[in-house]
Amino acid sequence: MRQCLRDALGVNKPIYFTLAADKTFCRITALILLVLSGWAFNARAQTLTNLRSFTPTDGFGPHSLLQGRDGNFYGTAGSGGNLNLNNGSGWGTVFRITPTGLLTNLHSFILTDGGEPNLLVQGSDGNFYGTTYTNTPGGLGTVFKMTSTGSITTLWLFGLNPGIDSAASHPVAGLVQGADGNFYGTTSAGGANGDGIVFRITPTGTLTNLHNFNGADGANSQWGSLVPGNDGNFYGVTSGGGTNSQGNIYRISPTGNFTNLYSFSGTDGQFPEAGLVLGSDGNFYGITSSGGTNNGGTIFRMTPTGVLTNLHLFAGVTDGHTPTALVQGSDGNFYGTTRQGGGSTHCFDGCGTIFRITPSGTFTNLCSIDATNVASPVVGFVQGSDGNFYGTAFLVSYPFVDNIGDIFKLTVPLNPPANQVSVIQTTGNDVVVSIPSVATETYQLQVSNSLNPTNWVNVPGAAVTNCIGALLTLTNSGGATGPQGFYRFDIIP
């Protein structure tokens, strides 16, 4: 467990807050916290740091990162690793990297256990689960499980059981674990109609085909993994198919009940490749890789019933174009990347941008990638538990020699700062504590009658798992009627 309270300098030592039943004291405490948050925001500078430039044995072209429960980041590279295979290109790797840039190659694929791995997810059992695009025999892809030390177990070989998976093939997106403990995913091809499937697989490898895409309801699922909604269903995108053959958004239940929510037509965007993001307001946010008025792609908001609103239409030079990733930050804003544009002369048509957009659509270009420090294009983006953003970029850095991908850290002033208590107050007999949270972490409110670290006690019912980011409020029911206490949060990625 890591204490997530920080002092005004932003370092990792804890801050503790006392709260008595006296409401005047509570108001003073809350005011102090808000002043500290504002000071930290103004003092921090925006910086872009290259943590690791890949070598061929590290892997070629790292994908998006996942922060594990140990605080390290885990990811995959689509090729590289064992260079004795695949005509010297290798079949890809799984790696671990610390927040300071120390990289460990956990596994190099050899094709019999899969090749060209996709995104990872950490299961409730602590193991990592993922898919590969290809394998032998059959060459149609796998679902695998990996321990934290890199031991791989193949759970499913696509194409060898057509009676079950309808000869589904070539998964490109990662998996997501449902509330039932099973994993859900998609393939980009195969199935009864050749357009891919949606499937469910147990942690032990029993696969169920939930839906065969037929073109009209979507086709060719790409990088976008399914995302669980607040209603227990899963929401996803296809980069092809739909009413206008330009991409689709759909909803599917854990038992396979499928609903087509929205089909893109071009002027509202086309060819979504990245997955949806469930916002803290209950709406879904996403990007399309092209289309819109300027044909540079779009950022959109969609209600759970399929009402879509375009928030930003990319133009090219000033804001970038061809967006690749989108995440919601702890401050409630969304952060993302584009593949091209931004004005750099070191790449054809620009090297891309990193941007921020509010839920209402106010857009800010935070950084234009110039490929002199970080490779282009940026393809993955995630907020770490320290509040910083971590990303992956592939191809090469300027001047285009000896670089096949980078992992970088972007430090952005957040207001309020991530994981720093912003409000503590009493409401009736309760103590209410608010904190700007980072997505996918577990936050546990704790209380103690002293600052002795052995005396901290979890507040019953005051924990949230897999929160989606932005402001998180937890309550100690009846806490204001008790003796004076000290409060803090513990978090687990």
Side-chain angles (χ1 to χ4, degrees), residues 348-411:
F348 175 75
D349 201 16
C351 300
T353 64
I354 301 175
F355 62 84
R356 177 178 63 223
I357 187 169
T358 68
S360 60
T362 301
F363 183 95
T364 303
N365 182 359
L366 296 175
C367 177
S368 291
I369 304 296
D370 65 4
T372 58
N373 184 33
V374 172
S376 174
V378 173
V379 294
F381 210 52
V382 63
Q383 189 178 25
S385 58
D386 58 2
N388 296 312
F389 293 88
Y390 293 79
T392 56
F394 68 89
L395 294 182
V396 292
S397 293
Y398 184 81
F400 310 111
V401 292
D402 300 327
N403 194 356
I404 51 177
D406 290 325
I407 296 178
F408 65 89
K409 176 177 69 176
L410 178 70
T411 300

Side-chain angles (χ1 to χ4, degrees), residues 36-333:
L36 289 178
S37 296
W39 188 95
F41 171 77
N42 293 328
R44 296 174 63 192
Q46 178 177 307
T47 58
L48 183 66
T49 305
N50 188 349
L51 295 178
R52 173 79 177 197
S53 291
F54 274 64
T55 67
T57 54
D58 294 336
F60 292 93
H63 299 320
S64 294
L65 300 172
L66 163 76
Q67 189 168 30
R69 295 174 191 166
D70 59 2
N72 296 312
F73 294 91
Y74 293 78
T76 62
S79 57
N82 188 338
L83 302 182
N84 294 320
L85 304 174
N86 195 20
N87 299 317
S89 296
W91 286 110
T93 66
V94 182
F95 59 85
R96 177 180 64 232
I97 186 168
T98 68
T100 58
L102 178 62
L103 186 139
T104 302
N105 184 348
L106 295 175
H107 184 79
S108 292
F109 287 91
I110 58 175
L111 193 58
T112 55
D113 59 2
E116 301 176 73
N118 304 308
L119 313 181
L120 294 173
V121 62
Q122 189 169 22
S124 57
D125 59 2
N127 293 311
F128 296 88
Y129 292 79
T131 61
T132 66
Y133 184 80
T134 189
N135 69 279
T136 58
L140 301 181
T142 72
V143 179
F144 67 87
K145 175 176 68 176
M146 189 195 77
T147 67
S148 59
T149 58
S151 177
I152 292 280
T153 300
T154 300
L155 299 178
W156 189 262
L157 295 169
F158 285 102
L160 297 184
N161 298 278
I164 299 177
D165 63 18
S166 302
S169 62
H170 302 313
V172 178
L175 303 171
V176 62
Q177 190 169 28
D180 57 5
N182 296 314
F183 294 89
Y184 294 78
T186 62
T187 68
S188 64
N193 306 301
D195 294 314
I197 72 169
V198 182
F199 64 87
R200 177 181 66 232
I201 188 169
T202 68
T204 57
T206 300
L207 187 139
T208 302
N209 184 348
L210 296 178
H211 182 76
N212 291 285
F213 289 107
N214 61 22
D217 62 6
N220 193 24
S221 294
Q222 292 293 326
W223 294 106
S225 301
L226 296 168
V227 59
N230 291 328
D231 56 4
N233 295 309
F234 297 93
Y235 292 75
V237 302
T238 63
S239 57
T243 304
N244 306 296
S245 299
Q246 298 185 58
N248 206 48
I249 304 177
Y250 62 89
R251 177 179 65 228
I252 188 168
S253 73
T255 58
N257 185 17
F258 185 95
T259 303
N260 184 2
L261 293 176
Y262 192 85
S263 292
F264 290 95
S265 61
T267 56
D268 55 358
Q270 59 184 175
F271 311 137
E273 294 181 353
L276 299 171
V277 178
L278 177 60
S280 56
D281 59 2
N283 294 311
F284 294 91
Y285 293 77
I287 55 179
T288 63
S289 61
S290 58
T293 304
N294 307 303
N295 200 34
T298 68
I299 305 173
F300 63 85
R301 178 181 63 235
M302 188 195 74
T303 68
T305 58
V307 178
L308 187 140
T309 303
N310 267 330
L311 299 178
H312 185 76
L313 305 174
F314 285 94
V317 174
T318 58
D319 57 355
H321 67 85
T322 317
T324 56
L326 189 71
V327 298
Q328 187 171 31
S330 58
D331 60 354
N333 296 314

Side-chain angles (χ1 to χ4, degrees), residues 414-438:
L414 300 176
N415 191 11
N419 293 334
Q420 181 170 307
V421 170
S422 58
V423 175
I424 183 169
Q425 61 186 7
T426 58
T427 301
N429 294 329
D430 302 332
V431 175
V432 179
V433 186
S434 297
I435 186 170
S437 65
V438 174

